[in-house]
Amino acid sequence: MKVKCPKCDAIAELGDDFSYVKCSKCSLDITYGEYVKFIAYKDAIYSDVLGDYVKDTNGAAAGTLDEW
């Protein structure tokens, strides 16, 4: 699958099993979890979306990006 590289904005490859993201243009080679963190740090819109996946928000904030 093709995704946008968070480092250089070129087209990167996402592994079929979501285990890696690789960009041949800038040599980015990271896990999918690292990719999600990278995107969240780069664009605040995505970090807000991650807050939707917190298991228990009863009286607690979504946490920081480092906790993801």
Side-chain angles (χ1 to χ4, degrees), residues 53-67:
Y53 294 96
V54 173
K55 292 179 183 176
D56 181 15
T57 60
N58 187 13
T64 65
L65 291 174
D66 290 328
E67 293 171 345

Side-chain angles (χ1 to χ4, degrees), residues 1-6 12-22 28-41 46 49-50 53 68:
M1 182 185 307
K2 304 296 180 189
V3 295
K4 186 175 182 179
C5 176
E13 179 184 350
L14 172 61
D16 291 336
D17 59 356
F18 290 83
S19 62
Y20 66 87
V21 175
K22 293 182 181 180
L28 179 78
D29 186 1
I30 58 177
T31 67
Y32 183 69
E34 292 170 328
Y35 173 78
V36 170
K37 284 184 181 182
F38 201 126
I39 292 290
Y41 275 114
Y46 294 111
V49 171
L50 290 176
Y53 294 96
W68 288 100

